Amino acid sequence: SSSSSAAAAPSSSSLSDATMALLAAVAAAEEGLAVSPNQAELRLGITSLYALLGAATASRDAFAPIDCKNIQMDTMVHHILPAAEGGAAPEVAFRVCQMADNLRRDAGRDITELGVTSYTNGVYTKAIEFVGFHRRLKISHSLAATAVVKARTALRVVLASAAVDIVSGGGGGGGASACASAESSGAVGGGGEGSSGGGEVAAGDRAGVDGA
């Protein structure tokens, strides 16, 4: 069994070749961004490349100019989650998860309001669209993934704080304090900066609903 395990393990040369290939891809993507900094596909690609290389901060910096928000949190957040949880500061993960929470809460509120308004005004096709949108968010894998990332990141913050407290002779009580501090600052829970994001999701539909 030991020989089979050894055979399955990648060699140092293959890991080196893979790393060099990723670095070459990053270099090519960076050159492309220098010419076209607003090319979203390049930015998403380099975000993933940096995450694969373990460069979480570089991955976050490449993704940030895309300004992912609103419904994009459902369709694009998976690009930044590996970096947010795989090496970036906890605040990065909490910020990403907070934006997803904002979408879930605010879009849910707006969907209900605009769905009723559409039905009342006889715009039944719009009402059906809002029902489908509500169902989509309810079963969204991306939003579920951000909830898991938020819980794991909060746990790591508490455990790290407790470990430091124990080493310093504090008895390990700092973990609860760290969690309470994170919650009071709005990092773990929803709300805070960007809490109006969900309102913008449905803003583009208001004219069609109210003006019909």
Side-chain angles (χ1 to χ4, degrees):
S1 58
S2 59
S3 60
S4 61
S5 299
S11 65
S12 58
S13 61
S14 63
L15 290 175
S16 177
D17 290 344
T19 301
M20 292 303 297
L22 289 172
L23 290 172
V26 166
E30 288 284 12
E31 288 187 7
L33 284 179
V35 176
S36 181
N38 297 321
Q39 228 291 337
E41 291 184 2
L42 273 176
R43 286 204 170 275
L44 293 176
I46 202 171
T47 296
S48 298
L49 288 169
Y50 276 131
L52 289 171
L53 287 167
T57 300
S59 179
R60 177 204 62 191
D61 292 344
F63 185 81
I66 296 177
D67 193 23
C68 179
K69 59 186 177 182
N70 303 334
I71 191 57
Q72 293 174 333
M73 291 302 298
D74 178 48
T75 58
M76 298 172 64
V77 72
H78 62 280
H79 290 284
I80 192 58
L81 284 181
E85 192 180 20
E91 291 77 12
V92 174
F94 286 142
R95 174 61 181 145
V96 171
C97 295
Q98 178 180 316
M99 292 172 67
D101 285 344
N102 292 339
L103 169 63
R104 184 184 293 105
R105 182 191 63 245
D106 295 345
R109 178 195 61 218
D110 291 342
I111 288 170
T112 300
E113 174 188 338
L114 293 177
V116 172
T117 302
S118 298
Y119 189 83
T120 301
N121 292 344
V123 190
Y124 302 120
T125 55
K126 276 288 183 182
I128 293 174
E129 287 180 15
F130 286 125
V131 170
F133 188 31
H134 172 73
R135 183 181 298 111
R136 170 182 169 181
L137 289 182
K138 186 175 182 180
I139 65 174
S140 168
H141 176 269
S142 295
L143 296 186
T146 59
V148 173
V149 169
K150 181 171 70 173
R152 287 199 297 233
T153 303
L155 179 60
R156 284 202 303 273
V157 169
V158 171
L159 292 177
S161 179
V164 170
D165 195 41
I166 290 173
V167 171
S168 63
S177 300
C179 187
S181 176
E183 289 176 348
S184 64
S185 67
V188 177
E193 183 182 355
S195 60
S196 62
E200 298 178 11
V201 175
D205 293 307
R206 289 184 182 277
V209 171
D210 297 330

